[in-house]
Amino acid sequence: MMAENNGPKITVYIISHAYGEYVEQAILSVLQQTYKNYELLLIDNGSTDNTSKVYKHYEKMPIVRTFKFENLALPKVCQMALE
């Protein structure tokens, strides 16, 4: 018998590289879902716009974790999110 995992069943990640204008809409779309057993990773990949300010607004939520990288290649950021 496998041990029960009490952590989130689904991980959703949102990567922004200067998409601050749109990223809050994506975050709200996730937060408004009816399914609630998930975690949300917000990844700022070297943005120079207001992305970090938008992320800061949500970082205190227990289901949200924020990360900041310095303009890595998208496949590398995705791999880090999956790890």
Side-chain angles (χ1 to χ4, degrees):
M1 179 186 255
M2 292 178 57
E4 220 177 287
N5 181 355
N6 293 329
K9 192 168 191 173
I10 295 174
T11 298
V12 178
Y13 62 91
I14 297 173
I15 301 169
S16 179
H17 176 76
Y19 285 105
E21 181 180 351
Y22 307 103
V23 76
E24 189 158 30
Q25 183 178 357
I27 294 167
L28 291 174
S29 176
V30 173
L31 295 176
Q32 292 170 353
Q33 298 301 309
T34 57
Y35 185 80
K36 295 298 180 190
N37 190 12
Y38 66 88
E39 67 179 341
L40 176 58
L41 309 181
L42 301 177
I43 303 167
D44 181 350
N45 190 25
S47 297
T48 56
D49 63 356
N50 67 329
T51 295
S52 61
K53 183 178 179 183
V54 173
Y55 283 4
K56 193 170 268 314
H57 180 77
Y58 296 97
E59 70 185 4
K60 290 191 173 31
M61 295 180 75
I63 62 167
V64 174
R65 293 191 293 157
T66 58
F67 300 88
K68 184 164 181 77
F69 298 113
E70 291 304 320
N71 203 15
L72 300 176
L74 183 59
K76 180 71 174 168
V77 176
C78 292
Q79 182 62 37
M80 294 174 91
L82 293 172
E83 292 174 359

